[in-house]
Amino acid sequence: IEPATPWPGPDPRPLVSFNVTIDSLGLTCMPSHVLPHKFNMELPPFLQILADRGYGLVLTDFQGPKAAYAAGRANGRAVLDGIRAARAFTPAGDPGPLFSGSRVVQVGYSGGGIATGWAAQLQPVYAPELTGVLVGSSVGGVPADYADLFDTMDGTLASGLYRAAVLGLAREYPQLYPLLNDTGDVVAHQLRDACASTNTVGGLAPFPLSALTDVDPRTDPTVIEVMARNRLGRADPAHGADPREVPTGPVQVWHADATVPMGPGPGSSQGPGDTFVPEWTAHRLVDEWCAAGADVEYTPVAGEHVTGAYTAVGPALDWVDARARGVPITTGCR
């Protein structure tokens, strides 16, 4: 997207990769189909604000042709490919690519945070030419380790999204499919084209993953290996990770955190925090990236997993704005 809003310069118009919270299993749920054809009330106004500020935008169908929701490594590679494509694209009649000289920043929340975090982590290995070009990654509400979420999502109101995430992983790692029992086969078939709204409402029937399989998903070695392969943070060579998988550009991690007051004044009540993806998982992600040498800033926001996407619009986009405009950042971790 090249917005109508002029860019004042002096540098070229920056490019922002906005990684939508797709959280879906169907191809008609992808941004390229949804945004031109549907009115989506679930989407915080990131896209509109960024366009109004004059940024070029790229929105990638990062779940790919298999709609592999939550397949972090594949999602991250797709985001980087989308950035490559946007930087190389020359509109008809133009002398050269629109964004070839642009700074690039990316931002995404929840399922979009998975793709954003993995794109940042894989960039030095998968897209080394973007080192120094990808100047910031704003990662919100990211489920960094799916194994941590058995107690908070599996069998709870969030179980619909958790089921969909496991089925999305299976599309990239088909060794998971033989673990499904007859019920699991039926559920996988029924949900084969489900969009985020259906997967979210599916939590009203909060049956656990154990109903879909005859193995214990917490201890089965195949499940453990797939989840470990898609665990964001410390690069573990034991699960096929490259030690160079460390973000090269600065990262903002933002999360609905119970330590944030919900109102003004010293007596205001504390927010609930993210009950589905607990804030301690975000703290650990920050610690692991910091220990590996990345520059990371943690930004706690008010609310829980759903409302946190809205309360963070201001601080997340201000951070994105600063990185896109080349404002210097304090290195290290805060």
Side-chain angles (χ1 to χ4, degrees):
I1 299 172
E2 183 185 20
T5 304
W7 180 253
D11 298 322
R13 186 191 298 270
L15 176 68
V16 175
S17 177
F18 177 49
N19 303 322
V20 179
T21 305
I22 303 173
D23 292 7
S24 303
L25 297 169
L27 294 180
T28 59
C29 318
M30 300 299 115
S32 64
H33 181 82
V34 172
L35 291 174
H37 295 101
K38 299 180 181 180
F39 178 68
N40 189 349
M41 290 187 65
E42 300 171 351
L43 188 65
F46 283 90
L47 183 63
Q48 298 92 322
I49 295 172
L50 287 165
D52 191 54
R53 291 183 181 181
Y55 295 118
L57 295 159
V58 55
L59 287 76
T60 302
D61 292 345
F62 58 76
Q63 291 185 184
K66 301 175 186 176
Y69 168 34
R73 287 181 170 274
N75 295 174
R77 291 193 296 268
V79 167
L80 294 169
D81 286 341
I83 292 170
R84 284 167 161 165
R87 295 184 72 234
F89 175 67
T90 301
D94 281 16
L98 278 177
F99 303 114
S100 61
S102 300
R103 295 188 186 95
V104 180
V105 187
Q106 56 165 346
V107 59
Y109 184 73
S110 192
I114 296 172
T116 304
W118 273 106
Q121 183 158 313
L122 294 174
Q123 176 269 312
V125 176
Y126 184 72
E129 77 278 11
L130 295 180
T131 298
V133 175
L134 180 60
V135 296
S137 300
S138 182
V139 183
V142 61
D145 186 347
Y146 307 137
D148 290 334
L149 308 182
F150 276 116
D151 293 331
T152 58
M153 293 187 72
D154 190 34
T156 72
L157 284 174
S159 59
L161 285 170
Y162 201 54
R163 283 194 296 270
V166 170
L167 295 174
L169 272 170
R171 293 176 173 184
E172 191 67 22
Y173 300 91
Q175 61 266 40
L176 292 175
Y177 278 121
L179 304 181
L180 294 174
N181 57 24
D182 290 345
T183 301
D185 282 335
V186 171
V187 170
H189 181 74
Q190 292 295 324
L191 294 178
R192 66 193 182 280
D193 295 317
C195 291
S197 56
T198 299
N199 294 326
T200 301
V201 172
L204 297 175
F207 57 87
L209 290 177
S210 57
L212 309 182
T213 178
D214 295 327
V215 304
D216 183 348
R218 293 175 183 249
T219 61
D220 181 81
T222 301
V223 176
I224 290 173
E225 173 60 25
V226 170
M227 287 190 170
R229 280 279 296 159
N230 290 273
R231 182 189 182 281
L232 193 60
R234 182 184 65 252
D236 186 356
H239 296 287
D242 189 316
R244 297 173 296 165
E245 293 176 0
V246 180
T248 58
V251 179
Q252 178 194 42
V253 174
W254 44 279
H255 210 86
D257 198 307
T259 65
V260 178
M262 289 296 286
S268 60
S269 61
Q270 298 293 312
D274 194 329
T275 56
F276 297 147
V277 185
E279 60 262 25
W280 64 262
T281 64
H283 300 167
R284 186 183 62 196
L285 174 63
V286 170
D287 290 343
E288 291 184 355
W289 271 342
C290 288
D295 297 323
V296 188
E297 179 176 347
Y298 179 68
T299 305
V301 298
E304 40 67 60
H305 191 74
V306 176
T307 57
Y310 294 83
T311 59
V313 169
L317 290 189
D318 286 347
W319 190 91
V320 167
D321 192 66
R323 302 291 78 72
R325 293 178 182 274
V327 175
I329 190 169
T330 302
T331 58
C333 291
R334 314 183 262 153

